[in-house]
Amino acid sequence: MANQKIKVVGLKKAFGDLEVLKGIDLEISSGEVVCIIGPSGSGKSTFLRCLNRLEEPTAGEIFVDGESITSNGADVDRVRRHLGMVFQQFNLFPHYTVKQNLMFAPVELKLKTPVEAEKTAIRLLDRVGLGDKVDAKPRELSGGQQQRVAIARALAMEPDIMLFDEPTSALDPEMVSEVLDVMRELAEEGMTMVIVTHEMGFAHDVADRVIFIDDGVIVEQGTPEQVMDHPQSVRTKSFLSKVL
Amino acid sequence: MLAGGFVTTLQVTVSSLIIAMVLGILVCLMHISHKRVLRGIAKFYIWIIRGTPMLVQAFYIYFAVPQLIQLSTGSSFRIDVFTASLITLSLNAGAYLSEIFRGSIESVDKGQMEASRSLGVSYATSMRKIILPQAVRICLPSLVNQCIITLKDSTILYAIGLGEIMYQAKIYVGRTMESFATYTWVAICFLLITSVLMLISRTVEKRMHA
């Protein structure tokens, strides 16, 4: 497949004796929006974190743009530049202003001059609706605003894949939609996205494909209609009946 | 004479603290590294220093180590008392500072390193630009506290004959019998310095939380 972005083969991850991922195979094409759902502790966050090697896989291989990122010689730092990541807890740098949060990596990695990086930062912050907060410190922002900055920070590296690890789970309910709106726009612009989420409505709306992971394996996958409206597996049915 | 003693106290304290600061950072980085050997060395060093009194450490460095060198090389070896004092105080403070630094680094949220690494920034740069600036703020109160402890502990070096303030005070009292006035003066000298340190620490802390 020419437009294949990510390919995962036989991915396993164990923490000591506890096997969290028991062999995952998956291909994601360019521009595809994939939502991963499943019960807590099912391994979905671990799977996402393996994709940019924040977790070291125990076995299996991962290819990004056809290049193995799990082989010994792989330059993880270089691969990570193409993979933006948004965390549940935002993880903004508290000692930097909002603008500096966005400028840090591009300037540090010498991809941009400070002047260019600042321009990009302001443009991105405008885009997520925070043009008036460029000089604020993260702690002065609400959770929803912080998460939008975190998305902009990941975008500042101009990634072609974005990973979201439960991006709205730490937010107060009234702030969820402002973050989802930004993500929806990104999806419409054709960004390749892998989203671990508990927002079933959002997954149903935005996903090209929904993957249900339980107990370290992919139980079921397909279009939102297939997986969420007409689930085949008993485990999927039971999970959906609890969350919908 | 007493003033001269106090100058020696300050000299040995300030120089040791500077050395200890560098040593502490090194040992701390060894302690949190993934290399088992480095971790082992750091742990062993901290274990020795924390587990023995500084008086014993001072005697060991001033008397025991020179004898060991003398026995093993066959030629006579002496170490001057200021150098021995400097080594003792540096090694001592270095161990405690490394633990203070380690505690501060480990108390920075794990997500900070992950966020920086996920942007493609290397471990070393993430440590320098993201983790350490936050750790410095956290460690500041304990750092000042250790400076105070080291300053006060420097009086122990009187036992190996360093001409610091207590040593000079003892001689002075022996000559003049002015115990009360002399030791009051000594205590006030320490209070002055430690008060200034505490004041600085409080101001800096306030500014950082503002």
Side-chain angles (χ1 to χ4, degrees), chain B residues 140 198-210:
Chain B
L140 220 77
M198 287 184 233
L199 211 72
I200 293 173
S201 137
R202 213 169 304 157
T203 323
V204 174
E205 246 181 285
K206 248 187 221 152
R207 192 167 304 166
M208 283 189 167
H209 285 293

Side-chain angles (χ1 to χ4, degrees), chain B residues 5-164:
Chain B
F6 197 52
V7 168
T8 305
T9 294
L10 290 180
Q11 270 172 352
V12 77
T13 305
V14 172
S15 340
S16 320
L17 279 172
I18 292 170
I19 297 169
M21 214 80 85
V22 178
L23 185 67
I25 291 170
L26 276 176
V27 173
C28 161
L29 291 176
M30 284 165 71
H31 206 157
I32 59 175
S33 95
H34 295 289
K35 297 223 166 59
R36 206 181 244 163
V37 187
L38 294 181
R39 252 187 358 237
I41 297 171
K43 278 185 183 166
F44 181 74
Y45 161 60
I46 292 163
W47 176 66
I48 295 282
I49 298 294
R50 284 220 293 204
T52 56
M54 200 175 88
L55 185 62
V56 176
Q57 294 160 14
F59 274 57
Y60 206 83
I61 287 161
Y62 190 49
F63 301 115
V65 173
Q67 191 195 23
L68 183 73
I69 294 175
Q70 212 164 323
L71 286 175
S72 54
T73 62
S75 53
S76 85
F77 183 86
R78 291 235 347 124
I79 181 168
D80 77 272
V81 68
F82 187 84
T83 311
S85 303
L86 193 65
I87 294 171
T88 307
L89 214 52
S90 304
L91 285 178
N92 193 276
Y96 289 106
L97 282 179
S98 82
E99 285 293 89
I100 290 170
F101 294 150
R102 186 169 67 100
S104 310
I105 286 173
E106 282 173 356
S107 67
V108 175
D109 189 271
K110 215 166 96 272
Q112 291 290 310
M113 179 58 94
E114 290 189 345
S116 182
R117 295 305 307 273
S118 78
L119 291 164
V121 179
S122 69
Y123 174 83
T125 307
S126 305
M127 198 51 141
R128 219 177 59 240
K129 291 290 180 79
I130 302 297
I131 307 299
L132 289 183
Q134 296 184 57
V136 166
R137 285 163 210 230
I138 297 167
C139 85
L140 220 77
S142 321
L143 182 67
V144 173
N145 197 37
Q146 183 58 46
C147 291
I148 291 173
I149 291 173
T150 301
L151 172 69
K152 295 195 294 180
D153 276 1
S154 72
T155 53
I156 292 174
L157 300 166
Y158 143 84
I160 57 171
L162 178 70
E164 48 72 67

Side-chain angles (χ1 to χ4, degrees), chain A residues 90-222:
Chain A
F90 331 134
N91 295 342
L92 295 180
F93 307 131
H95 57 306
Y96 287 161
T97 63
V98 164
K99 190 172 69 186
Q100 288 168 335
N101 264 274
L102 272 69
M103 292 164 61
F104 165 68
V107 171
E108 201 57 52
L109 298 169
K110 301 198 165 57
L111 304 174
K112 285 197 169 83
T113 65
V115 179
E116 289 165 354
E118 187 175 6
K119 264 191 210 149
T120 315
I122 291 170
R123 183 172 51 78
L124 286 169
L125 287 167
D126 256 335
R127 180 173 158 191
V128 299
L130 292 168
D132 55 336
K133 300 286 186 194
V134 290
D135 292 315
K137 282 288 184 83
R139 64 163 178 275
E140 296 159 16
L141 305 181
S142 71
Q145 290 172 329
Q146 288 193 48
Q147 193 61 301
R148 283 186 281 153
V149 173
I151 295 173
R153 177 177 67 181
L155 291 174
M157 286 297 293
E158 295 169 5
D160 41 20
I161 302 166
M162 286 283 284
L163 310 175
F164 293 85
D165 188 5
E166 304 196 25
T168 58
S169 297
L171 295 177
D172 291 332
E174 74 269 24
M175 292 168 185
V176 169
S177 66
E178 63 189 68
V179 171
L180 294 182
D181 287 345
V182 171
M183 292 168 62
R184 192 171 278 128
E185 264 173 49
L186 264 181
E188 280 161 9
E189 285 163 24
M191 176 69 79
T192 310
M193 295 162 78
V194 186
I195 307 163
V196 171
T197 186
H198 290 292
E199 296 293 332
M200 294 302 150
F202 174 79
H204 198 287
D205 266 15
V206 175
D208 297 310
R209 181 157 40 133
V210 172
I211 295 177
F212 175 67
I213 292 186
D214 191 13
D215 202 19
V217 293
I218 295 180
V219 176
E220 195 165 347
Q221 59 174 312

